[in-house]
Amino acid sequence: MSGRGSSSRGSSIGGAKSYRDEAVVLRTTKLGEADRIVSLLTRHHGRVRAVAKGVRRTSSRFGARLEPFTCVDVQLHRGRALDTVTQVDVLAPYGQVLAADYGLYTVGHALVETAERFTEVERENATQQYLLLVGALRTLSRREHAAPLVLDAFLLRSLAVAGYAASFGDCARCGNPGPHTAFNVSAGGAVCSACRPPGSAAPDPQTLELLAALLSGEWSVAEDAEERCRREGSGLVAAFLQWHLERGIRSLRHVERDDGSLVR
């Protein structure tokens, strides 16, 4: 995925009407009888909305290439309100794998919805969010780790990229070295006994170790965590995310754990 970065970025320099970029298809919306509006998270141009003309016709050249979760190399023509897709090639068809497994599919929807929420300002550079999303979709489609763990790792890292990194060791308020026994979403994570606000949660210490591992990418630690800690950790991540976004991610309510229970 790294080989196309420089060429796709260069075609938009100097205010050119057409540009090319790597992108992940976040969602699509019907437009008229044959068109779709496609929401894309691009590597170099942030989130972009574009019209894909005629893609709902069976004769469309690239209709199947613009399905959610697909990583594409796309060429677009700038427009006043919406850009127009003029060419698209598939780089990684993650959607084909995710659509065949309900558990992966629901997690995939939570990933792309979260990415869209963190990139609400169109055309604002979001390269780190793009790379996080591509990495999460790739890991999910390859089944390298349990899907709920992939989701929680992505949520924590997306929050960190947006400037809302949670603390799971040192006190989020005073910096007192941990580990600590309390967690408060409004305070920024783990808090010591002196800084602990009323109503703080008291999670299992292993839960905080799990979340710290997911944030830092220590997958061996995360995979060894007990199911009860994974479930408790997912609840803390969801609460932390909702606090900073000021409203929840709707797709999370449909995500299932490996034991069949709902994550949220």
Side-chain angles (χ1 to χ4, degrees):
M1 205 168 286
S2 59
R4 299 185 181 234
S6 59
S7 62
S8 61
R9 176 175 49 193
S11 60
S12 65
I13 294 175
K17 283 289 187 179
S18 293
Y19 63 100
R20 186 175 178 180
D21 207 344
E22 294 177 12
V24 171
V25 180
L26 301 178
R27 62 185 175 92
T28 64
T29 306
K30 292 180 180 180
L31 178 66
E33 295 183 356
D35 305 339
R36 288 189 188 275
I37 296 176
V38 185
S39 180
L40 302 165
L41 179 57
T42 70
R43 182 166 188 163
H44 300 296
H45 296 82
R47 188 169 64 82
V48 173
R49 290 191 308 146
V51 176
K53 296 183 177 180
V55 294
R56 291 162 56 201
R57 297 193 182 103
T58 55
S59 59
S60 172
R61 292 177 299 144
F62 47 73
R65 304 175 193 175
L66 290 171
E67 293 298 321
F69 316 131
T70 306
C71 185
V72 296
D73 182 329
V74 63
Q75 184 165 320
L76 302 110
H77 184 83
R78 293 188 184 277
R80 291 185 178 179
L82 297 171
D83 293 351
T84 301
V85 177
T86 57
Q87 183 178 337
V88 59
D89 294 307
V90 174
L91 298 178
Y94 299 127
Q96 293 179 9
V97 177
L98 303 190
D101 184 300
Y102 180 75
L104 299 181
Y105 181 76
T106 56
V107 169
H109 266 291
L111 294 176
V112 296
E113 183 183 351
T114 301
E116 190 166 30
R117 290 286 299 280
F118 275 117
T119 56
E120 290 188 335
V121 179
E122 293 188 23
R123 302 189 185 283
E124 185 175 83
N125 185 279
T127 299
Q128 287 182 288
Q129 290 286 359
Y130 168 82
L131 294 175
L132 279 177
L133 180 59
V134 171
L137 290 171
R138 179 173 58 246
T139 300
L140 192 65
S141 66
R142 293 177 179 176
R143 295 178 170 87
E144 294 177 1
H145 305 291
L149 290 181
V150 174
L151 173 60
D152 285 337
F154 173 79
L155 297 179
L156 289 171
R157 296 175 196 181
S158 291
L159 282 159
V161 166
Y164 307 123
S167 174
F168 300 111
D170 297 345
C171 177
R173 283 192 167 178
C174 71
N176 185 31
H180 300 294
T181 59
F183 187 92
N184 188 278
V185 294
S186 62
V191 286
C192 65
S193 56
C195 296
R196 176 177 181 168
S200 297
D204 188 302
Q206 294 182 18
T207 298
L208 296 184
E209 292 178 8
L210 163 63
L211 296 181
L214 291 175
L215 180 58
S216 61
E218 298 177 68
W219 284 103
S220 60
V221 175
E223 292 284 8
D224 287 340
E226 297 180 10
E227 181 58 37
R228 61 183 178 83
C229 294
R230 296 186 186 189
R231 187 180 297 108
E232 184 176 46
S234 290
L236 293 178
V237 173
F240 197 79
L241 180 70
Q242 183 169 348
W243 171 265
H244 288 289
L245 289 180
E246 298 183 352
R247 64 184 190 276
I249 299 296
R250 290 178 297 175
S251 302
L252 288 180
R253 71 188 67 173
H254 303 297
V255 174
E256 293 183 351
R257 303 205 65 87
D258 293 335
D259 61 4
S261 62
L262 293 178
V263 170
R264 314 295 184 237

